[in-house]
Amino acid sequence: MSEEVTPDLSKAERHEQLLQFPAFDETTAWELGNDIRARAEAAGAAVVIDIRRGNECLFFTAMPGTTPSNADWARRKRNLVNLLHMSSYRIGLLAAEGFDAMQAMALDPRDHAPHGGCFPIRIAGTGVVGSVAVSGLPSRDDHKIAVDSIAALLGIDLADSRF
């Protein structure tokens, strides 16, 4: 693996192992969405936040400064996460290392995007039940804001896997 991708790929894998919810409902989605929005506002960033349980939208906001393309990016990232049950950032890093899921699975780039910002909502002992998508920042930053918010909500210290 390349020196540039390896550390982030290991961290992204660790995020998926660590960040598992005991349960996930509308209240959890509301708390998570508001925390992500507060973090984006504090950073002076404009993002779209789309949190789903399956295909059911539990939280959506488009901050001032976003465009409809941000919501479309969130949709495309979400489609890939729903299919592969791993973060869109990790999928993009794997592609940079030679495993291009888009090509291997003949996925349409109009409907799938291997760019950071969508993270699977995984319930411990159950599996993936949804996703949180953030769009508006560079891939790594979209991923980071989602992961940092999930970790804070769950009270998990990311330790060595922190960006």
Side-chain angles (χ1 to χ4, degrees):
M1 291 188 171
S2 76
E3 291 179 27
E4 296 172 5
V5 173
T6 301
D8 272 10
L9 184 55
S10 296
K11 288 177 181 182
E13 290 177 58
R14 186 68 180 139
H15 296 158
E16 293 170 29
Q17 294 166 356
L18 286 172
L19 301 178
Q20 298 189 37
F21 291 81
F24 194 82
D25 61 14
E26 293 82 356
T27 301
T28 309
W30 179 257
E31 292 170 359
L32 178 59
N34 280 301
D35 187 70
I36 293 170
R37 185 177 173 108
R39 289 170 188 269
E41 287 173 342
V47 297
V48 160
I49 305 161
D50 186 345
I51 302 175
R52 307 241 172 178
R53 181 176 52 206
N55 287 322
E56 179 186 12
C57 184
L58 299 181
F59 183 97
F60 182 90
T61 188
M63 295 173 66
T66 61
T67 67
S69 69
N70 294 113
D72 191 51
W73 273 100
R75 176 191 65 83
R76 293 167 56 216
K77 294 177 202 183
R78 181 179 67 247
N79 286 345
L80 197 56
V81 169
N82 287 344
L83 185 63
L84 298 178
H85 290 188
M86 64 177 76
S87 72
S88 58
Y89 186 58
R90 181 172 160 210
I91 296 164
L93 293 172
L94 288 169
E97 287 299 310
F99 176 70
D100 186 346
M102 297 287 292
Q103 182 179 11
M105 299 178 75
L107 299 175
D108 186 345
R110 182 65 204 112
D111 289 318
H112 301 86
H115 299 279
C118 190
F119 195 85
I121 299 294
R122 185 174 277 113
I123 296 177
T126 298
V128 174
V129 298
S131 63
V132 53
V134 178
S135 177
L137 301 169
S139 285
R140 188 178 198 264
D141 296 335
D142 276 347
H143 177 84
K144 180 182 182 332
I145 199 168
V147 164
D148 287 351
S149 290
I150 294 169
L153 184 64
L154 294 174
I156 293 174
D157 181 4
L158 293 175
D160 292 341
S161 67
R162 181 175 289 111
F163 283 169

